[in-house]
Amino acid sequence: MEKIYDLIIIGGGPGGIGSAVEAKVLGLGEVLLIEKTENHSHTIRKFYKDQKRVDKDWQGQTVVLEGNVDFFDGTKESTLDYFDALLDDEKIDTRFNCAVEKVEKHENLFYVSSGCGIDKAKNVIISIGRMGKPNKPSYKIPPSLKTKINFNLERCGSGEKVLIVGGGDSAVEYACELSSCNEVTLNYRREILSRPNPTNQNMIREYSDKNAVTLKLGVDIAGLENEHGKVKVNFTDGTELYDRVIYAIGGTTPKDFLKSCGITLDERGEPIFDENYESEVKGLYIAGDIAFKSGGSIAIALNHGFRIVNHILNKEK
């Protein structure tokens, strides 16, 4: 007989892993997790620097874990190891290197089309990240500066004059990380860094106080130019030359993919879902990064999975 899954999860990040573990522990039935890259937690692997702190609580908010995943403070490496163990221990049916193209509902079943074929499921959770496509500035980046512009720490060297653009946790962590061997300036258009968590706010304050990082706050950027191979940054209060500019200004919701899955978006391009994280298509849920309006939390994403699986089980009673 043709296999019909009780639940297919699209995305192998914390929200997807949490959903898969809860489904297995709570006895939902046949579960499949599909991830487009070669391993789980792609955002953590690519965008978190080595030994980056990973805290259960987020931006000063204490997060109470509701489900069966006992997440704890650690580092990038310990978090990845823990998720490895969860997938192995619960014997989660996973399919990596498999990009989902669309999700369609016919009668009471979802048809999940991917490069691996078509799978059928009674319920689907979309738990994909925003950072696969990082936000870019509104002004044009000259093509000749392509090798001088970053959206993460890849290709960063030492002995450079570096400008970090952004006001969140990643921007602060990038600035502090690179300051040991570079001349670093952190630029944010607002006058106060209010978005980073308390630990990072204290850290950037310390680095600024000892002149390890220069803060350029309350100043916006009008555009970039190439000046003899360096990046000429046209600030609203003047210009300055840098060897490298790194943008840490978040990621964009993958609108086209969500639309191809039948997800309705609001006027800002954000997915519409109810208090149970269920979209306007019954049985189709949103979890993880794309369920956050701004910023993300691993612990809260894990709670998404617990709540969604319980909602599915309660509907089946």
Side-chain angles (χ1 to χ4, degrees), residues 159-229:
E160 292 185 321
K161 185 177 180 181
V162 179
L163 177 69
I164 311 289
V165 182
D169 286 307
S170 293
V172 167
E173 290 166 4
Y174 288 176
C176 295
E177 170 77 6
L178 293 178
S179 67
S180 62
C181 53
N182 297 278
E183 180 185 343
V184 176
T185 298
L186 175 61
N187 165 243
Y188 185 46
R189 58 191 176 84
R190 301 190 186 280
E191 295 182 353
I192 299 175
L193 289 169
S194 58
R195 289 169 50 204
N197 63 50
T199 298
N200 282 338
Q201 288 197 29
N202 290 333
M203 181 170 66
I204 193 61
R205 191 178 302 116
E206 292 173 4
Y207 276 66
S208 175
D209 289 345
K210 64 183 182 182
N211 297 317
V213 174
T214 299
L215 296 182
K216 191 175 181 66
L217 305 179
V219 180
D220 213 341
I221 297 175
L224 306 181
E225 297 178 56
N226 185 335
E227 185 165 306
H228 307 304

Side-chain angles (χ1 to χ4, degrees), residues 100-104 111 126 254-263 284:
V100 174
E101 298 157 1
K102 63 180 178 179
V103 176
E104 297 176 299
Y111 291 70
I126 299 176
K255 300 176 186 178
D256 291 340
F257 175 72
L258 293 176
K259 289 178 181 178
S260 73
C261 294
I263 300 291
L284 181 58

Side-chain angles (χ1 to χ4, degrees), residues 12-14 17 35 37 39-46 80 83:
I17 293 171
E35 164 60 37
T37 66
N39 211 334
H40 65 83
S41 309
H42 175 70
T43 296
I44 295 176
R45 294 179 193 278
K46 183 170 183 179
L80 292 175
F83 288 152

Side-chain angles (χ1 to χ4, degrees), residues 275-291:
E275 67 277 7
N276 298 306
Y277 305 96
E278 189 173 29
S279 72
E280 294 183 333
V281 179
K282 297 305 178 185
L284 181 58
Y285 297 83
I286 296 292
D289 275 5
I290 56 171

Side-chain angles (χ1 to χ4, degrees), residues 267-303:
E267 65 278 1
R268 295 170 299 177
E270 298 290 339
I272 296 174
F273 52 88
D274 63 17
E275 67 277 7
N276 298 306
Y277 305 96
E278 189 173 29
S279 72
E280 294 183 333
V281 179
K282 297 305 178 185
L284 181 58
Y285 297 83
I286 296 292
D289 275 5
I290 56 171
F292 294 102
K293 299 301 180 185
S294 61
S297 160
I298 290 176
I300 295 177
L302 294 172
N303 283 344

Side-chain angles (χ1 to χ4, degrees), residues 133-152:
K133 186 177 182 182
N135 281 336
K136 296 184 178 181
S138 57
Y139 46 84
K140 182 180 179 181
I141 297 176
S144 61
L145 292 175
K146 184 176 181 180
T147 60
K148 303 289 185 179
I149 306 298
N150 287 38
F151 295 92
N152 51 47

Side-chain angles (χ1 to χ4, degrees), residues 109-141:
L109 285 180
F110 290 96
Y111 291 70
V112 180
S113 301
S114 70
C116 305
I118 298 177
D119 294 282
K120 297 180 182 179
K122 299 175 183 177
N123 300 279
V124 171
I125 298 175
I126 299 176
S127 184
I128 56 178
R130 295 172 179 263
M131 293 303 293
K133 186 177 182 182
N135 281 336
K136 296 184 178 181
S138 57
Y139 46 84
K140 182 180 179 181
I141 297 176

